[in-house]
DNA sequence: CGTTATGTTGAGCTCCCTCAAGGTTGGTGG
DNA sequence: CCACCAACCTTGAGGGAGCTCAACATAACG
């Protein structure tokens, strides 16, 4: 699906949210990502908790999730890794992974060794800065998840997670005003939103009845993006995208206000 | 209280959890932190959401918290910054802060400009690595907060937060087997644990009645560290300290198992 | 075409929230 | 030194959002 060989990697599209890239940058990035590409089947872990990380990963296509298990065995998904996402830049400073990253769908992943990364960041400081920016954004998203799960009800949690995913996928060209592919089960959504699968199910039904969004296994239909954002009280500034809200939104809708994001 | 002029900064003590420091490193760190020191009164913000960060901060003494407000006005504290903590290494890549950092007690804070930091990391790569490690640890703690608030009940949340604070303070010499200073109101605890102040109050009472911990404004007494850890199911590996569990614990207790942490 | 994962629905319960009062503490000024 | 005020803490009663447990339905998949 995404990132056919020869096309521009999702990561390049995303880094443009931080700063413009020269053709040389894009080509260098392409070479870095093309050096070692792995196919990973749905459900397969990329890195497991307790392991010593030997490679940094960049998602080329498909989704992964990062999770930790609570002492009682319950799983908390702490992040989704979408195409263009870097899983743990600076991971080499860790002796042991503190969480597990596993594929949610079949994916293509670029694996980058410590040495290759060191050489690359030396040679391409602007891209290295972009990597750090990406990692800051991931941290900001992590904080937003804490706010979301801590301070909001079930409907709002699901709705605002969907808004986030739509916005993140949109900048890499994997969402449009109709919706996007969603390789998640209701169990996955539940574990991300800290809810039970049963209550997640009922909440999804509610959102559909409200006419704002239809969430099925495999696909999200954004039935009414404005209403969804309003319900979710989605304030996308935490994503730190350079684009305006208008540009982030589905192209055929009008923007109430043009917010400059940082 | 902590970090009297001339003594070793808390940050140096903490970085030893990552790797040994040479005397030259410590001296350089000391100079970096001593260049510009601010006194900040309790309640005063260091950086506010939406601002453009001009300086990086390192806590020398006192506590700060980082928080974001939910759309409904509720506050979620997403991190506590204790002595030795770096508030946002790599913050200069951000155009706008996505959260507010405010002093919880009177504090002393080192402010480091972009230029000073750039020069320092160039000159002292080992310490720069230590800074990155610190920032990774902060990310890991952030994830733990999500797991804690998402998957655990009120007693366990409070208990495991107290365990975390004890461990983090212990490595910088600000906690012993008796307990530690706690400059938090019950409202602060509530906003960190995503609970109401009322329920926090009742939970604190319960923990005291159980005889595991006494949490008052200003002070925590670790009445029974083993029982507290058991109740909290505290697994400190997410802190990525090099010390063993035995060394982290109050010195006069026996360790059931010696876990090598990473 | 069975088997396993996933989704759906219902009834009852509990943990935590809401709302509403007081009570206590510490600081400030008269 | 006392009166007062503003935080902060404490306690109670009632309600509700979301959990638990238990079926069953449906889809995915070999």
């Amino acid at each position: 699906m995404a990132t056919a060989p020869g096309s521009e990697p999702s990561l390049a599209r995303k880094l443009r949210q931080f700063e413009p890239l020269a053709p040389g940058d894009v080509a260098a990035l392409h070479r870095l990502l093309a050096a070692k590409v792995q196919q990973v089947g749905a459900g397969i872990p990329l890195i497991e908790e307790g392991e010593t990380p030997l490679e940094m990963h960049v998602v080329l296509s498909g989704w992964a999730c990062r999770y930790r298990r609570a002492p009682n065995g319950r799983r908390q998904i702490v992040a989704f890794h979408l195409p263009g996402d870097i899983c743990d830049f600076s991971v080499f400073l860790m002796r042991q992974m503190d969480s597990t990253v596993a594929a949610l769908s079949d994916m293509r992943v670029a694996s980058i060794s410590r040495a290759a990364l060191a050489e690359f960041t030396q040679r391409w400081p602007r891209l290295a800065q972009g990597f750090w920016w990406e990692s800051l954004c991931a941290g900001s998203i992590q904080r937003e998840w804490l706010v979301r799960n801590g301070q909001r009800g079930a409907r709002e949690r699901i709705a605002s997670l969907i808004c986030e995913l739509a916005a993140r996928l949109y900048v890499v060209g994997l969402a449009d005003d109709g919706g996007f592919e969603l390789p998640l089960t209701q169990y996955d959504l539940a574990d991300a939103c800290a809810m039970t699968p049963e209550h997640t199910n009922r909440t999804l039904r509610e959102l559909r009845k409200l006419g704002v969004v239809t969430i099925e296994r495999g696909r999200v239909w954004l039935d009414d993006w404005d209403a969804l954002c309003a319900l979710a009280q989605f304030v996308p500034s935490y994503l730190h995208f350079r684009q305006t809200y208008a540009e982030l939104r589905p192209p055929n809708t009008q923007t109430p206000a043009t917010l400059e994001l940082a």
Side-chain angles (χ1 to χ4, degrees), chain A:
Chain A
M1 43 181 83
T3 321
S7 81
E8 183 171 291
S10 297
L11 180 53
R13 295 190 62 155
K14 201 164 92 162
L15 292 181
R16 288 229 173 71
Q17 295 296 322
F18 172 56
E19 61 181 353
L21 297 183
D25 292 329
V26 177
L29 196 54
H30 204 291
R31 283 194 303 274
L32 179 75
L33 300 182
K36 181 175 173 189
V37 174
Q38 282 176 275
Q39 298 274 349
V40 182
I44 307 293
L46 293 184
I47 332 166
E48 284 186 271
E49 188 172 341
E51 283 182 20
T52 301
L54 301 173
E55 291 175 317
M56 181 186 94
H57 300 284
V58 176
V59 181
L60 301 177
S61 68
W63 289 31
C65 72
R66 175 180 302 269
Y67 66 85
R68 222 181 258 179
R69 290 205 175 272
N72 59 16
R74 298 175 68 140
R75 179 179 71 153
Q76 173 72 51
I77 292 178
V78 297
F80 290 121
H81 297 298
L82 314 184
D85 283 359
I86 298 172
C87 308
D88 267 330
F89 186 38
S90 77
V91 75
F92 299 117
L93 291 174
M94 267 189 187
R95 274 165 239 183
Q96 292 194 12
M97 293 299 297
D98 54 66
S99 43
T100 298
V101 179
L104 286 163
S105 60
D106 291 345
M107 18 176 358
R108 285 173 49 247
V109 177
S111 298
I112 299 157
S113 73
R114 181 174 200 147
L117 182 65
E119 193 207 316
F120 184 85
T121 53
Q122 187 97 26
R123 173 114 186 263
W124 303 93
R126 178 160 43 177
L127 286 168
Q129 269 214 343
F131 289 2
W132 287 122
W133 170 80
E134 210 275 344
S135 130
L136 276 179
C137 291
S140 179
I141 290 170
Q142 194 76 89
R143 289 188 280 277
E144 183 65 16
W145 282 42
L146 190 61
V147 178
R148 176 161 51 219
N149 288 357
Q151 305 296 344
R152 332 220 21 213
R155 262 183 313 256
E156 296 165 298
R157 278 189 222 180
I158 301 277
S160 64
L161 176 59
I162 294 296
C163 287
E164 175 186 311
L165 293 172
R168 287 168 61 189
L169 289 168
Y170 189 74
V171 301
V172 292
L174 292 172
D176 56 36
D177 65 338
F180 53 88
E181 310 268 315
L182 182 85
L184 300 180
T185 66
Q186 293 183 358
Y187 292 81
D188 297 326
L189 278 172
D191 287 347
C193 291
M195 294 161 46
T196 56
E198 294 91 333
H199 198 237
T200 303
N201 181 283
R202 291 185 251 259
T203 305
L204 296 186
R205 170 171 316 285
E206 259 189 281
L207 290 174
R208 185 155 54 78
K209 279 212 184 110
L210 287 170
V212 293
V213 65
T214 304
I215 301 164
E216 286 180 7
R217 172 99 130 117
R219 178 84 199 168
V220 166
W221 279 272
L222 300 170
D223 302 326
D224 186 338
W225 172 254
D226 287 332
L228 181 65
C229 287
L231 175 65
Q233 307 227 47
F234 182 54
V235 182
S237 55
Y238 73 92
L239 294 171
H240 293 275
F241 289 147
R242 192 161 44 88
Q243 287 180 307
T244 61
Y245 193 38
E247 290 159 8
L248 265 183
R249 291 159 56 93
N252 60 357
T253 50
Q254 284 301 319
T255 315
T258 300
L259 302 170
E260 210 9 87
L261 307 183

